Every structure is written in C-alpha cells, then in structure tokens.
Amino acid sequence: MAYQATVIPVMIASPGDVNEEREIIRAVIHDWNDINARASRVMLSAVGWDTHASPELGARPQQLINDRILSDCDLLIGVFWTRLGTPTGKAASGTVEEIEAHVASGKPAMLYFSSRPVAPDSIDPAQYANVREAKAKWMQQGLVEGFDDSEELRHKLSKQLSFCLAKNSYLQGIIGTPRDDDAHTRPAPAELSAEAKTLLKAGASQNDGHIWKFSFANGEFLQAGEQTFGEGSNREMARWEAALEELLRAQLVVARGTAGEVFELTHEGWTAADSLS
C-alpha cells in the first residue's frame, strides 16, 4: 500500500579509493529504508558525485557538484582510506570542500576512516599524510569513527545512522517528533516491521515488559522474555537494533536509566502488544 514519507538526501562524500566502502554505505541506507521507512515515514536517499553528477560547463567542477548535489542534502557521510583527493582551488580536495561546506551550513556530517591493510607500494605518501592531517583536524571539531574492515563499517554505520537520525536536532527538525497528545502520528501496530512486532511481543511475554541489551567483548544481543535477538553476526544485531529504534520512535518502549541497556514497554506498548496477540 502506498504511503507518504519525508525524503532525506544523504551525500556520500569520498575520494576515489573507497569504492567498496561507498557501496557498503549505500547498502546500509537501503537496509535502513527496508526496516524503518514505512513505520517512521522517513526515506533516506543515497546521493554521490559518482552517481548524480552530469556533464556541464561554466563553473569549477566541484562548485557544480556543490550547487547541483550537495546543497540539497541534509546529511553527509564521508569515508576515507589512503587518499584525501585532488585539490579544488578552495580546499585540499573535493571531498574536503563538500564536508566543510556541508558543516558550515549547519548540517550533520558523519566521518569514517578505514584502517584496512594496504600494499605499501600502492600508497601515495603525500595523500596518506593529507588524510592523517585532515583526520586530526576534524577530531578537534567533533567525533570521527574508524573501522578495520567492511563488516565493521557496516555494523558501526547501521547503528550510528539510527542514532544520528534519532538524536540530531537538525534532522529531528525535518523529521518531527511525535507529541504525547498527537497519538495519530505514531505508527499503528499493523505498520510496524515484522522485527519490531516480534520484539514487542517478546517484551510483553514477561510481566516486567523489559527488553535488555547486552554487550560483550565479542558481540552484542538483545533479550526480551525468553528470546534472544541479534546473536551470530553484526548485521543480524543491526537488524534488531533498528527494530528497537522503531519501537522507541513509536513510543511503544522507553529507555530506563542512562546506559542504554534496558528498555520497558509503555502503556501504548502493552496495548499494541495485546493487539498483536
């Protein structure tokens, strides 16, 4: 069935040596949409210079990208490995110019740096030094993230993308937050994803209505009632964390404490769980 949604363009900013990482970012965005779009009425649209630029004369190449693509984006995800990119005349690289322009406009940027192995002979020392210098500069301006391999990037971005959408004030201003006196804006139980319904029913199977999140050195999982969710792989855990985020946004569960380890069904959550029985 058709539904209306707020579309948030997401700029993927990157130099040319991270093709695999760009595809992972697109896959994470696609997965987020599959799990969350219908219930949240929010759709993410992956945008990048490699997919959305077209031939045009009359201005600096990077300025055309900034004007035609970047300016319409509300969130930027940047990723680096061994190259910073080619100077534009205004910044150390096109990717750097995109990030700086995006942040200067008051919009959020999520930056990731790869530590995966590389053949030493394939590295341009000057480019690699530029990456390290840029990373050090951005670390003074906020939080950046590192990853060792593709699976770690997928796991971290899956979790952190949901956090950013839920917590960033700029994005929340676009998405909007349901009010307690505006219950009709919350997803009805029938609109929840299958995972969110399963997790909600499992939480309601015990009188305390708790959903627990456990973290260990070798992984994480959720527990609700007598069931566990997310064991086995980072991707599986990301799927169930997205379901938990869905329940939080729908105000069917609420976090207890400050550690983000225990969640409890609300009155609306119990009512919704009863309707799913």
Side-chain angles (χ1 to χ4, degrees), residues 57-162:
L57 299 179
R60 288 188 309 119
Q62 186 59 50
Q63 190 62 52
L64 291 171
I65 292 174
N66 294 350
D67 293 343
R68 304 290 186 267
I69 303 174
L70 177 67
S71 62
D72 290 332
C73 294
D74 294 304
L75 173 62
L76 181 147
I77 301 174
V79 61
F80 296 90
W81 185 23
T82 66
R83 294 184 56 81
L84 193 67
T86 304
T88 66
K90 284 194 173 182
S93 75
T95 305
V96 172
E97 186 171 331
E98 290 163 7
I99 293 169
E100 292 179 344
H102 187 82
V103 172
S105 68
K107 301 175 183 178
M110 305 172 69
L111 302 186
Y112 293 82
F113 291 85
S114 174
S115 298
R116 65 184 172 95
V118 60
D121 292 344
S122 68
I123 296 178
D124 180 329
Q127 282 285 324
Y128 189 59
N130 289 341
V131 172
R132 296 181 65 182
E133 181 180 346
K135 180 180 180 181
K137 180 184 73 173
W138 285 323
M139 287 176 67
Q140 299 300 314
Q141 300 175 7
L143 299 175
V144 302
E145 184 64 89
F147 62 95
D148 294 330
D149 53 42
S150 299
E151 190 59 33
E152 186 175 15
L153 173 61
R154 184 187 300 273
H155 172 64
K156 287 185 173 181
L157 181 58
S158 295
K159 177 190 295 185
Q160 293 163 355
L161 180 59
S162 292

Side-chain angles (χ1 to χ4, degrees), residues 160-191:
Q160 293 163 355
L161 180 59
S162 292
F163 287 165
C164 184
L165 290 165
K167 301 295 185 181
N168 181 266
S169 58
Y170 172 84
L171 295 175
Q172 279 298 301
I174 298 172
I175 297 169
T177 303
R179 303 188 305 269
D180 288 339
D181 61 348
D182 195 16
H184 69 274
T185 64
R186 302 173 190 159
E191 297 174 332

